[in-house]
Every structure is written in C-alpha cells, then in structure tokens.
Amino acid sequence: GQQLNQSPQSMFIQEGEDVSMNCTSSSIFNTWLWYKQEPGEGPVLLIALYKAGELTSNGRLTAQFGITRKDSFLNISASIPSDVGIYFCAGVKNTGNQFYFGTGTSLTVIP
Amino acid sequence: DSGVTQTPKHLITATGQRVTLRCSPRSGDLSVYWYQQSLDQGLQFLIQYYNGEERAKGNILERFSAQQFPDLHSELNLSSLELGDSALYFCASSAHPTNTEAFFGQGTRLTVV
C-alpha cells in the first residue's frame, strides 16, 4: 500500500521543549490529518488540514499542509508529560476516501 | 471517549479459526472504516462502508469480509486465521463518506496462537 514516511521515528525530550515532526509521501494528498495514539487506545484526531499551505493550530499544536501537497508538519510547543504517545499523520485522497497512515513518531517527554 | 464502541477488547484464538469483530459507530455517523494495526505494517486501511454499502476497499485479504447492518453497526469477519493476522483491529466512524474527520474506537486486540 501507500507509504507515508514520518520522521523522526522516536523522540525523547525534556518537558517544556518544543517538538517538530514531519510526514512525507511520494503521492499528492488532498487532506492531511494528524492523530495521537496512547497505549491501549485508538488514534485521536488532533488536526485536519484541507488546503495546500494551510497552517492550523489546536492549542499548543500547530500543523501545516505542505505546498507540494506531498508533506505535512506537526509542531508541539512547550511539551508536557501528557503529550507522550505515538503521533501519526494520515493522507487522504479524494478517490474512495481511503486514509493512508504514516509510520508514526513516538514521543517521550521527560519531566 | 470517541463514541465508537468495539467488542470484544481482546480475543485469543487458534490458527484456522474464524472470528467476528463488532463495531458500533458514533450516534448519527453513517460511515464505518476498518483498520488493521500491526507492529511491522502500521495502520492499514481495510474497508469502508457507508449506510450499509461498501464504499472503498483497501488492503483487505480475501479471508476477511465485513458488512454494515441496517442499524449501522458493522462486523468484520476474519476466517482461516493465521499467526500473521495477530494485530489490533480498529473501527472508525464519520458522519459522511467523504468526511475525513473519522473517530476511532479503542480497538480489538486479536492474538492468533
């Protein structure tokens, strides 16, 4: 299937630091989504992006839809321990509304 | 709580067996998606239903099938199970078939022994 590459694969940061992660693809997507998954839970939608170049915030989270439509970025400012989890990007093409998920970025916040 | 309910939470079964996973979407959502999450493959889209009809198909094996019932709940049937089918199976729902804001259930962890 479609492969979306996320980087970094994992991050260990101090509480209060900012975090950046990105997602790249060889294909164009019309929508980019960012999800967070905690152990034993399903992914939770954080941010949805619908237009190339769009920058959207949700509290301390900011995500951008890349101009080429082949990438997206997620930033978390002033990280806190509850930010711990795995962050997934997902690209959506109009056709069939199929979601393609990234490989995930595991975030650990050290108090 | 996303409002999407999946049962059972855990399932352990033997190779060659058949199991059924159940999903109740959020109230009012007409579209249901099934995903498989394994360590080596990540989250893989399996199939989508909208108002009882198949809408999109992903990497779903022929041994797997799904359906959505008139009350909008959905079932994913997995047959002739193999060790490699061990994974987390997630259901997600959204209001419309093209609504990309899908909400996920807590998943069913299937272990095939």
Side-chain angles (χ1 to χ4, degrees):
Chain A
Q2 197 74 225
Q3 186 78 15
L4 270 63
N5 298 307
Q6 274 186 253
S7 64
Q9 195 173 13
S10 61
M11 303 180 77
F12 293 81
I13 61 166
Q14 290 288 138
E15 183 177 357
E17 287 184 2
D18 295 345
V19 172
S20 289
M21 60 188 78
N22 67 68
C23 188
T24 59
S25 170
S26 56
S27 296
I28 288 173
F29 290 102
N30 292 316
T31 300
W32 283 94
L33 307 168
W34 284 92
Y35 284 86
K36 177 188 176 189
Q37 186 177 19
E38 296 181 26
E41 303 289 328
V44 174
L45 181 65
L46 300 173
I47 292 180
L49 302 157
Y50 299 102
K51 272 196 300 197
E54 181 182 351
L55 190 70
T56 297
S57 293
N58 177 7
R60 293 178 297 105
L61 277 60
T62 302
Q64 184 160 26
F65 192 139
I67 290 291
T68 65
R69 295 203 283 155
K70 293 183 180 181
D71 56 10
S72 180
F73 307 87
L74 177 69
N75 295 313
I76 304 173
S77 62
S79 58
I80 59 178
S82 62
D83 290 334
V84 165
I86 301 178
Y87 291 79
F88 290 98
C89 63
V92 187
K93 298 180 179 180
N94 280 342
T95 307
N97 198 35
Q98 189 170 145
F99 288 37
Y100 298 91
F101 278 85
T103 47
T105 293
S106 174
L107 177 64
T108 301
V109 179
I110 303 162
Chain B
D1 182 3
S2 67
V4 178
T5 304
Q6 288 187 248
T7 56
K9 276 204 88 162
H10 303 276
L11 200 48
I12 301 175
T13 190
T15 54
Q17 295 298 305
R18 174 190 166 96
V19 297
T20 297
L21 312 184
R22 184 188 165 101
C23 169
S24 294
R26 289 189 321 158
S27 176
D29 283 358
L30 299 178
S31 195
V32 168
Y33 311 76
W34 285 98
Y35 286 84
Q36 180 192 57
Q37 186 177 38
S38 56
L39 282 173
D40 57 342
Q41 291 289 319
L43 269 162
Q44 297 284 321
F45 170 71
L46 297 177
I47 198 162
Q48 178 196 6
Y49 279 83
Y50 174 71
N51 207 19
E53 295 197 4
E54 184 183 303
R55 171 91 179 179
K57 218 168 191 175
N59 301 321
I60 188 165
L61 299 172
E62 283 191 19
R63 300 184 284 109
F64 296 0
S65 65
Q67 59 185 129
Q68 187 179 27
F69 294 86
D71 67 352
L72 301 177
H73 91 271
S74 178
E75 291 181 356
L76 179 67
N77 300 298
L78 315 176
S79 61
S80 303
L81 284 167
E82 302 174 0
L83 295 177
D85 296 328
S86 296
L88 266 168
Y89 290 84
F90 286 106
C91 167
S93 74
S94 67
H96 304 289
T98 55
N99 187 329
T100 50
E101 295 188 13
F103 296 85
F104 282 75
Q106 290 191 310
T108 293
R109 180 172 293 282
L110 173 67
T111 303
V112 182
V113 298

